[in-house]
Amino acid sequence: MTNAPITNSNESAPDERDYNLPGSLPNRKNTVTAAVLACLLESSHLTGMESVFKQSTTRLSAVIHYLERDYCWNIDRRDIVTGTSDGRIASITTYWLSQTAIAQAFETGARHWIDKVNAARAARRKQSDKCKADAARLNTCRKQFKSHDPRQGGLWGDI
């Protein structure tokens, strides 16, 4: 076999070695997916609430699933409990990459990719005022054109 792994006779479980290299880096750099991965590659632990403020997304678990499924990243997670400001205890999940995966990613040029992601996300943030104004305009239009069935009247006969 030409591609057989080299075995070390001193290993106690040679068949249990992990041959998976870290996953691939997304091509598009101005996305939430790229921003989450860049944050994880910089040795950060990330929770859903942190992702709201850092990456402007409430769907961190979906992004993590996407990174694992489509980009083959092995992302570690743990459920933790935290006290809330309204006096409850909430269970949340924190996500991170292993130091081995981070080191392997940096050996393959992750630092340059992270810098490009940060620059692309900063450029996108400059458009936020325009996007907020466009969203407000679109929401105003939606209020004016409520969708209703013309065959259905109101409760007291008015439309």
Side-chain angles (χ1 to χ4, degrees), residues 4-80:
I6 299 171
T7 59
N8 184 351
S9 61
N10 295 331
E11 289 180 349
S12 61
D15 294 332
E16 299 298 321
R17 285 182 285 166
D18 184 13
Y19 292 105
N20 294 332
L21 294 176
S24 58
L25 301 171
N27 288 332
R28 293 180 51 211
K29 305 198 179 36
N30 64 346
T31 63
V32 171
T33 302
V36 167
L37 181 57
C39 186
L40 291 173
L41 284 170
E42 290 182 320
S43 300
S44 294
H45 285 239
L46 200 55
T47 65
M49 188 55 76
E50 291 168 344
S51 70
V52 169
F53 297 109
K54 290 182 179 179
Q55 285 84 23
S56 300
T57 185
T58 59
R59 298 182 37 85
L60 178 62
S61 61
V63 172
I64 295 294
H65 175 75
Y66 185 63
L67 285 168
E68 290 175 330
R69 184 192 68 198
D70 294 348
Y71 293 98
C72 302
W73 286 95
N74 185 16
I75 300 171
D76 296 324
R77 64 194 55 149
R78 181 179 342 138
D79 290 337
I80 58 174

Side-chain angles (χ1 to χ4, degrees), residues 64-129:
I64 295 294
H65 175 75
Y66 185 63
L67 285 168
E68 290 175 330
R69 184 192 68 198
D70 294 348
Y71 293 98
C72 302
W73 286 95
N74 185 16
I75 300 171
D76 296 324
R77 64 194 55 149
R78 181 179 342 138
D79 290 337
I80 58 174
V81 293
T82 185
T84 63
S85 59
D86 66 349
R88 296 175 297 114
I89 293 178
S91 178
I92 61 173
T93 303
T94 182
Y95 301 95
W96 71 93
L97 286 172
S98 69
Q99 290 301 316
T100 305
I102 293 170
Q104 289 175 340
F106 274 88
E107 287 174 8
T108 60
R111 171 48 58 199
H112 182 65
W113 180 84
I114 291 170
D115 292 340
K116 284 185 174 184
V117 168
N118 291 337
R121 295 295 288 172
R124 176 164 249 178
R125 275 189 217 96
K126 290 179 181 177
Q127 301 171 359
S128 67
D129 290 337

